[in-house]
Amino acid sequence: MDTPVIAVGILGVAALGGATLATFHLRSGSAPKALAYGHGAIAATGVGTLAGAVIQGTATGLACWSLALFALAAAGGLTLLFAFRLRERPIPPAFIVGHGLIAATAYVLLCLGVLGRPDRDRALGAVPERAPIAQPAEAHARR
């Protein structure tokens, strides 16, 4: 499997954890520590995987822009951890929403850059044309 696609999967799991975390915080003002630390660890793994793909040259274009936004979201996440979580201070909802919006935007860019639209990519010359696969009826008619 392609490294950028693996990054999409890992960061998708981190996004689900982040959405759950945000829901806990916005509804009750706190969330389980294990969920917060797990979210951070999974997100860091995904960003590291994406960074490796960018360095290797297997992720380009929008995926590179998404890495920049993920770095910004990571800085926000570390701020949430060190300025609020570890000091046991309440996290302002605006910080949670801002962190989530930056990360979600980065994830959408990553998905568009990695998964893309094959029809559009082929029209732009990014994906080489493939020979059509012969249908069973055509294969029998040729014999």
Side-chain angles (χ1 to χ4, degrees):
M1 189 175 289
D2 213 12
T3 304
V5 175
I6 293 170
V8 168
I10 294 170
L11 289 165
V13 171
L16 291 174
T20 304
L21 199 58
T23 302
F24 271 112
H25 270 290
L26 296 176
R27 286 191 179 170
S28 66
S30 66
K33 287 183 180 181
L35 180 60
Y37 297 141
H39 164 70
I42 293 168
T45 301
V47 171
T49 303
L50 178 58
V54 169
I55 290 168
Q56 292 173 351
T58 57
T60 58
L62 289 177
C64 293
W65 285 103
S66 75
L67 179 60
L69 283 178
F70 274 126
L72 183 61
L78 289 171
T79 300
L80 293 175
L81 174 66
F82 290 112
F84 299 101
R85 173 62 95 175
L86 295 179
R87 295 180 182 181
E88 297 184 3
R89 294 181 178 168
I91 301 173
F95 280 90
I96 295 168
V97 171
H99 169 70
L101 286 176
I102 292 168
T105 302
Y107 189 70
V108 168
L109 288 178
L110 177 63
C111 288
L112 289 173
V114 171
L115 306 175
R117 287 185 28 213
D119 58 328
R120 182 208 60 209
D121 294 342
R122 195 169 291 113
L124 295 174
V127 178
E129 290 289 333
R130 296 183 185 178
I133 298 173
Q135 298 297 323
E138 294 174 19
H140 290 298
R142 291 182 190 168
R143 291 183 189 172

